[in-house]
Amino acid sequence: MQGSLRLVNGENGKETVSSNTRTVPGKSWSFRILYFFLIFLVLGLGVCILSMNMIRYFGLRNMVLRESSSLEHCSDNINNLECWLRPPSNLMHNMNDTELFWRATFAPRMNEYPYKRIPKLAFMFLTRGPLPLSPLWERFFRGNEGLYSIYVHSLPAYRANYSRSSVFYGRQIPSQVTEWGKMSMCDAERRLLANAMLDLSNEYFVLLSEACIPVRNFTIVYRYISKSRYSFLGSYDDRGPYGRGRYNKGMEPEVTLEQWRKGSQWFEVNRELALRIVEDKFYYPKFKEFCKPACYVDEHYFPTMLTIEVPRLLANRSLTYTDWSRGGPHPATYGKNDISKEFFDKISGRKMCVYNHRLVFLCQLFARKFAPSALQPLLSLSSEVFGY
Ligand SMILES: *[C@@H]1O[C@H](CO)[C@@H](O)[C@H](O)[C@H]1NC(C)=O
Ligand SMILES: *[C@@H]1O[C@H](CO)[C@@H](O)[C@H](O)[C@H]1NC(C)=O
Ligand SMILES: *[C@@H]1O[C@H](CO)[C@@H](O)[C@H](O)[C@H]1NC(C)=O
Ligand SMILES: *[C@@H]1O[C@H](CO)[C@@H](O)[C@H](O)[C@H]1NC(C)=O
């Protein structure tokens, strides 16, 4: 501007300006100062407002970035060990069983972990629908975060409705129709195991039903299971009609009559056994074809298979108390009127069992079957009788 002005006006323009400054210097200076002052004021205010906004914007943005970057960072950077070890935040996935089992059986070949691994107990609930005794379980789990994880398999039509504060919130896994006593039952158990195995810190896997309750507190359950040299899976040779009587010769040569075992469906296995159950393709087709009702496959498949493969890892007994004394094909179910301190004194501490080669009184950590009506009396007894 000045350049072009000078070019147009030449010496004259310069003259005029200098003569002007020379003629009324006071008025011109004060005007200029006021002018600059106003410009600075406007500029200053502008910068002020702008910077305030910038701080707000970038501050927030940085916070958002910082939060999402750890997530993003993990979702597309599994090369980072910490991220790779983190369990999936959402249990829902769209892998089918073939894909899931394949994914679940990834296992490290080095048995020394390059980080501090806290082994977790995975509690796997095989249910039809709701968990009526969940308030008791909530009490049992309280305060033990980081030492357990929960997985629930229910009939696919059931929509779970737990509040956000519940330990069962968001713990449902993709489920399929399951019929008691059929292979679809073992499929559901393998599906629970496979989903739980996706979390690499799960080391022990406990199968439970909606009618089960814990009869010891978490501290005792955790110690009992994690210090055991054996997995608690029932396995015995029953020579009667409900044992060997269910064997079918078609299973040879994979399974012979002498190898045939029976055991309770409710088990606890460690990761090594869980891996064997999920990866099995050798025994599975035989059991699917030759063990149909009245051969109840969930009582024979895992006990037989694991006794053939890894007998030295089995305790051959279950941790879940079940009362078959009333006779018939179903165990006794306890309701409101059965629950008392004497009742639990009776079912625990009567028989002895072997634990790590020693005879002990503590044999069972869970018990079944309990009706929904048993919940209130159980809640009032739990701290005195179960220690939680
Ligand atoms: C799962 O999907 C794969 C690929 O589509 C397929 O080969 C496999 O048979 C499916 N498995 C089941 C159990 O549906
Ligand atoms: C889910 O639970 C809430 C409160 O516990 C209840 O208000 C709501 O009706 C329930 N929804 C269904 C579908 O059961
Ligand atoms: C469980 O039974 C198998 C054979 O059936 C045996 O080899 C193993 O030693 C038993 N486990 C214990 C802890 O006794
Ligand atoms: C668990 O139960 C045992 C025995 O009943 C008791 O000594 C212990 O204090 C309980 N632990 C907790 C954390 O409540």
Side-chain angles (χ1 to χ4, degrees):
M1 245 337 228
Q2 249 177 8
S4 63
L5 247 173
R6 220 180 293 149
L7 206 78
V8 173
N9 294 341
E11 281 290 331
N12 277 342
K14 213 181 167 188
E15 264 315 294
T16 326
V17 172
S18 51
S19 72
N20 260 353
T21 42
R22 235 178 288 142
T23 38
V24 271
K27 191 186 166 191
S28 170
W29 274 113
S30 62
F31 176 77
R32 276 190 183 195
I33 286 166
L34 192 69
Y35 184 68
F36 278 116
F37 178 74
L38 274 171
I39 284 180
F40 277 118
L41 192 72
V42 168
L43 266 177
L45 266 173
V47 167
C48 222
I49 289 167
L50 195 72
S51 59
M52 266 160 70
N53 277 324
M54 296 267 268
I55 286 167
R56 206 178 297 160
Y57 175 72
F58 283 109
L60 271 183
R61 212 177 117 75
N62 273 345
M63 259 162 63
V64 170
L65 273 181
R66 223 177 300 133
E67 248 171 40
S68 68
S69 73
S70 62
L71 285 179
E72 264 167 37
H73 171 63
C74 275
S75 66
D76 51 39
N77 189 4
I78 60 161
N79 296 327
N80 178 324
L81 187 63
E82 188 202 327
C83 293
W84 195 75
L85 294 171
R86 187 172 299 173
S89 57
N90 185 353
L91 294 189
M92 284 298 161
H93 56 73
N94 42 32
M95 288 183 273
N96 68 22
D97 281 353
T98 317
E99 294 161 337
L100 169 70
F101 290 10
W102 178 76
R103 172 71 187 79
T105 50
F106 287 12
R109 286 180 68 92
M110 297 169 85
N111 49 20
E112 217 170 274
Y113 293 87
Y115 61 95
K116 181 155 169 43
R117 178 175 184 260
I118 297 170
K120 285 198 290 188
L121 253 59
F123 290 82
M124 312 181 297
F125 290 87
L126 184 57
T127 73
R128 267 164 280 225
L131 281 162
L133 304 172
S134 62
L136 195 69
W137 284 100
E138 303 265 1
R139 200 177 275 188
F140 167 78
F141 287 120
R142 196 188 300 149
N144 297 291
E145 292 71 27
L147 295 175
Y148 67 87
S149 33
I150 294 173
Y151 301 85
V152 185
H153 185 291
S154 28
L155 292 178
Y158 175 71
R159 289 278 156 271
N161 183 17
Y162 292 100
S163 71
R164 274 186 167 274
S165 58
S166 165
V167 296
F168 296 101
Y169 179 79
R171 303 311 298 176
Q172 285 67 37
I173 64 159
S175 305
Q176 288 177 32
V177 172
T178 306
E179 289 169 284
W180 300 88
K182 297 203 179 158
M183 204 54 171
S184 59
M185 179 66 78
C186 295
D187 292 338
E189 295 174 12
R190 298 172 95 203
R191 198 173 297 125
L192 271 165
L193 281 170
N195 279 283
M197 286 168 78
L198 297 180
D199 181 345
L200 292 169
S201 51
N202 285 332
E203 180 60 31
Y204 308 100
F205 302 82
V206 185
L207 183 72
L208 299 153
S209 81
E210 66 260 64
C212 290
I213 61 160
V215 294
R216 302 288 164 193
N217 62 25
F218 189 91
T219 317
I220 291 183
V221 168
Y222 187 88
R223 197 187 311 138
Y224 197 90
I225 291 176
S226 62
K227 298 259 185 266
S228 172
R229 273 174 245 167
Y230 307 97
S231 282
F232 296 96
L233 182 115
S235 175
Y236 59 97
D237 182 5
D238 173 353
R239 288 169 187 257
Y242 306 116
R244 287 198 180 197
R246 293 175 180 173
Y247 175 77
N248 183 317
K249 238 181 144 30
M251 291 199 180
E252 280 178 347
E254 283 84 350
V255 181
T256 65
L257 181 64
E258 289 69 39
Q259 290 172 325
W260 183 252
R261 290 291 183 279
K262 183 178 178 176
S264 160
Q265 179 187 6
W266 314 104
F267 60 72
E268 178 276 323
V269 293
N270 68 8
R271 203 169 176 99
E272 180 178 346
L273 300 190
L275 180 61
R276 285 179 183 274
I277 290 174
V278 173
E279 75 182 359
D280 175 48
K281 283 201 158 98
F282 185 71
Y283 302 98
Y284 183 91
K286 287 290 171 125
F287 279 90
K288 192 178 166 98
E289 188 177 350
F290 296 107
C291 184
K292 292 176 178 165
C295 174
Y296 299 103
V297 69
D298 52 82
E299 293 179 345
H300 300 281
Y301 175 29
F302 304 149
T304 302
M305 183 201 118
L306 293 173
T307 298
I308 297 172
E309 290 206 335
V310 281
R312 65 189 167 82
L313 297 182
L314 304 178
N316 302 318
R317 66 180 176 92
S318 164
L319 287 176
T320 306
Y321 173 89
T322 310
D323 179 6
W324 292 99
S325 67
R326 293 186 191 177
H330 297 289
T333 301
Y334 304 113
K336 196 165 104 196
N337 300 324
D338 297 299
I339 310 303
S340 65
K341 188 173 183 308
E342 293 68 40
F343 169 78
F344 288 103
D345 288 345
K346 204 179 78 191
I347 71 168
S348 67
R350 247 210 186 158
K351 276 200 216 152
M352 293 187 92
C353 55
V354 180
Y355 177 81
N356 287 344
H357 307 291
R358 281 175 41 225
L359 272 177
V360 295
F361 274 111
L362 182 53
C363 300
Q364 268 126 6
L365 306 179
F366 310 103
R368 65 193 285 268
K369 297 169 75 168
F370 291 88
S373 71
L375 178 64
Q376 279 318 317
L378 285 171
L379 282 173
S380 29
L381 277 182
S382 76
S383 84
E384 183 194 351
V385 178
F386 309 141
Y388 63 84

